[in-house]
Amino acid sequence: MRIFTTLLFCTICISAIAQKPDNRIVIGAVDTIFSKVLNEKRALLIHVPNGGKDERYPVLYILDGEDHFNSAVGIVQQMAGVIPDMVIVGITNTVRERDLTPTHVTARKGQDDVSGGGENFMKFINDELFPYVDSHYPTAPYRVFSGHSLGGLTVVNALVNHTALFNAYIVIDPSLWWDNKKLLKQIQQQLSTLNLAKKSLFVAFANNMSPGVDTITVMQDTLNPRTNVTRSVLPFIKALKETKPKALNWSYKFYPNERHGTIELNAEYDALRYLFNYYAFLTSQFDGHPELNVDAVLAAHFKMLSERLRYTVVPPESLVNSLAYYCWGTNKSKEAFSLFKRNIDNHPQSGNAFDSVGDFYAGTGEKQKAIEAYIKSLSLQETVDTRRKLEELRKK
């Protein structure tokens, strides 16, 4: 095994950060797509996890990408194993008020009269962006849509009027006050009729209130424009509570120490933790329970993930490898071999998977099988460590 940590039961699989020869640290790349729907070129900020060639990932689409892409990448990388690794697509703006508003409002004097292009923007996402991302990046069929402020308004519009496009929705301090609360009024009237089965939603709202005002009295604070967001979000949450949309998995959180401009980072983290609160494989469950079959428990957990995410989720190679060495080290050789074999089956192009099974064969005295495994490993990836072990084994 070439990558191994003594912390066998670490639930977080650390993704390497790409480092360029000039010592730059790279977390993503800029891509572009020409949209016929919008008749313009759009810039995309793309992060792809450093996984195996055969791995696929859920996709987090995040609006206002120029502002929120970097922090989203940091959160997803830091929490790898607790939440899934994800392809992250930061959608940058060209004409923000045009794209992120679902209805047109006559502009005030001195402002561009461009609002109300939200439906066209959703057409761009469905007809052009999805096919492009899915054909160019290792995506799985699970999509998360995240937006803040006007972006949050857009995400709510997608939830209500384009429900099938995404599996999960992150709504952060949404501007539901837009157009005299038109979308909010639609939600209050139609929420009970929506089919939100197997959808997930997290709503976050900040403390945009004056000193001495709370979430009850703020509804009467109509003269303060800073409270517009809060006075529209609270009725949205109330509608969700009272209607209890069938099969919708949802939660919300108030951030008393954050304002509209500072809430996004903490809310994005909390939202992803909530949306994937079932994801982590808790190795602590084996503490004091030697009777548990590690491979069977692992298989059951990832079967559950596959059912929840609605595509086949394969256990990360690093997790399976660590569990295999743990079983081997605790005299559960049969389970260890089953796990090593699982990695070979799931990751047939991984040199590390064959290197690890070579270690197992060498440790159990099966010299010829160990030699064959090391040779196979080297045919996939040449490394000094595997070459050394092969040569030492041949000399015996």
Side-chain angles (χ1 to χ4, degrees):
M1 177 186 180
R2 291 190 289 269
I3 302 176
F4 184 60
T5 173
T6 55
L7 298 175
L8 285 172
F9 276 7
C10 179
T11 61
I12 300 176
C13 304
I14 303 300
S15 298
I17 298 175
Q19 185 173 5
K20 296 298 183 181
D22 60 1
N23 293 324
R24 288 178 296 131
I25 294 176
V26 179
I27 65 170
V30 179
D31 199 351
T32 57
I33 176 176
F34 182 82
S35 169
K36 294 181 180 178
V37 172
L38 301 175
N39 192 33
E40 64 183 11
K41 183 182 290 186
R42 299 298 297 239
L44 308 172
L45 306 179
I46 307 289
H47 166 78
V48 178
N50 294 319
K53 296 178 181 179
D54 55 342
E55 293 189 45
R56 318 295 288 183
Y57 306 96
V59 188
L60 170 60
Y61 288 89
I62 190 162
L63 297 172
D64 293 316
E66 61 269 41
D67 295 323
H68 306 313
F69 174 79
N70 288 0
S71 57
V73 173
I75 292 168
V76 171
Q77 287 194 317
Q78 181 67 35
M79 301 308 294
V82 177
I83 64 175
D85 283 337
M86 288 187 276
V87 171
I88 301 175
V89 179
I91 307 173
T92 63
N93 293 308
T94 53
V95 185
R96 185 173 187 267
E97 188 168 301
R98 177 198 68 189
D99 294 338
L100 302 188
T101 54
T103 54
H104 177 71
V105 173
T106 301
R108 293 188 296 271
K109 186 176 181 179
Q111 294 183 324
D112 293 332
D113 195 28
V114 296
S115 64
E119 290 303 303
N120 213 36
F121 185 65
M122 294 308 301
K123 181 175 175 59
F124 154 69
I125 288 177
N126 185 49
D127 294 357
E128 298 177 325
L129 184 58
F130 284 169
Y132 181 83
V133 171
D134 289 341
S135 65
H136 287 79
Y137 299 100
T139 64
Y142 191 92
R143 298 171 179 145
V144 182
F145 198 23
S146 176
H148 165 256
S149 193
L150 285 179
L153 176 71
T154 300
V155 174
V156 174
N157 181 51
L159 172 71
V160 175
N161 294 311
H162 305 276
T163 309
L165 297 190
F166 296 91
N167 304 90
Y169 299 81
I170 299 173
V171 177
I172 303 173
D173 236 21
S175 298
L176 288 168
W177 53 264
W178 179 262
D179 196 5
N180 195 30
K181 302 180 182 179
K182 186 173 183 178
L183 182 58
L184 174 62
K185 293 173 183 176
Q186 178 192 349
I187 292 167
Q188 292 170 321
Q189 294 173 358
Q190 301 179 7
L191 188 58
S192 62
T193 66
L194 296 178
N195 180 7
L196 299 175
K198 298 183 179 180
K199 303 296 179 181
S200 296
L201 167 68
F202 185 87
V203 182
F205 67 107
N207 183 0
N208 302 307
M209 299 173 288
S210 304
V213 177
D214 57 27
T215 55
I216 297 176
T217 58
V218 70
M219 299 306 294
Q220 284 73 51
D221 192 18
T222 57
L223 297 180
N224 184 355
R226 290 204 316 133
T227 65
N228 282 345
V229 171
T230 304
R231 287 188 288 106
S232 59
V233 174
L234 287 173
F236 176 45
I237 293 172
K238 181 181 179 182
L240 287 165
K241 285 182 176 181
E242 293 179 348
T243 305
K244 299 178 181 178
K246 185 178 180 180
L248 174 66
N249 172 46
W250 79 280
S251 186
Y252 74 96
K253 185 174 179 179
F254 173 54
Y255 293 79
N257 298 319
E258 303 296 342
R259 294 292 181 174
H260 187 69
T262 65
I263 185 177
E264 208 280 337
L265 177 62
N266 287 342
E268 196 78 45
Y269 170 85
D270 288 338
L272 291 171
R273 289 298 304 269
Y274 172 76
L275 295 178
F276 298 105
N277 58 12
Y278 56 87
Y279 187 84
F281 182 77
L282 301 177
T283 53
S284 58
Q285 64 189 296
F286 301 120
D287 294 349
H289 295 283
E291 76 281 2
L292 290 178
N293 184 297
V294 175
D295 190 31
V297 173
L298 181 77
H301 179 78
F302 279 84
K303 179 181 178 182
M304 177 274 292
L305 291 186
S306 299
E307 291 171 352
R308 291 286 297 265
L309 295 173
R310 295 160 67 180
Y311 71 93
T312 300
V313 183
V314 177
E317 181 184 349
S318 57
L319 172 62
V320 177
N321 223 28
S322 291
L323 290 171
Y325 275 91
Y326 162 74
C327 288
W328 190 14
T330 53
N331 299 316
K332 301 173 78 171
S333 296
K334 185 176 180 180
E335 289 181 48
F337 179 74
S338 179
L339 289 161
F340 284 130
K341 181 66 164 52
R342 176 188 289 272
N343 256 352
I344 288 176
D345 293 341
N346 288 341
H347 308 282
Q349 299 303 311
S350 169
N352 188 59
F354 284 94
D355 175 89
S356 295
V357 82
D359 288 350
F360 178 83
Y361 284 133
T364 56
E366 299 178 81
K367 177 180 176 179
Q368 187 55 42
K369 288 185 177 180
I371 288 174
E372 292 172 0
Y374 287 143
I375 290 173
K376 177 63 176 179
S377 174
L378 290 167
S379 72
L380 295 169
Q381 182 180 8
E382 179 71 36
T383 68
V384 173
D385 187 50
T386 304
R387 179 65 64 184
R388 174 188 57 78
K389 289 186 287 189
L390 175 61
E391 297 305 320
E392 289 179 355
L393 199 58
R394 281 173 166 168
K395 292 177 183 178
K396 294 182 180 180

